[in-house]
Amino acid sequence: QVQVVESGGGLVQAGRSLSLSCAASGSGFTINTMGWYRQAPGKTRELVATITNGQGTNYSDSVKGRFAISRDRRENTVYLHMNSLKFEDTAVYYCNARGYTDDYRSFEVWGQGTVVTVSS
């Protein structure tokens, strides 16, 4: 069974930087895409950024140019480097991983979330 666990959230002042990490664990699987999503209070969960096996990236317009996603395929770990943080970046950030098991069953897993609070 595949699991992902996030770390690195916290309280940060606007304009500063913060990095998140997410590690996938388990056995007998291959991850195709890892990514970050976030959910602000009173809002629906939204895409932040994703990265594929081929290192292709996709960002939401709201974070493009400020956030950078990277991945260590060997360690099945994904990072989110957040720069120039804004108050509106305050949210619970969720890690997501999609792939398939060795017997070719697809899966999608979510982490428990890590809170990022940006003070204005």
Side-chain angles (χ1 to χ4, degrees), residues 65-78:
R66 299 188 298 121
F67 290 12
I69 190 170
S70 62
R71 179 176 169 184
D72 183 333
R73 286 185 57 187
R74 184 180 63 180
E75 299 295 329
N76 280 323
T77 300
V78 65

Side-chain angles (χ1 to χ4, degrees), residues 36-38 46-50 58-61 63 67 80 82 93:
W36 292 94
Y37 294 73
R38 67 186 182 186
E46 63 176 5
L47 167 75
V48 177
T50 60
N58 181 47
Y59 295 92
S60 70
D61 288 343
V63 306
F67 290 12
L80 185 68
M82 303 181 291
Y93 284 70

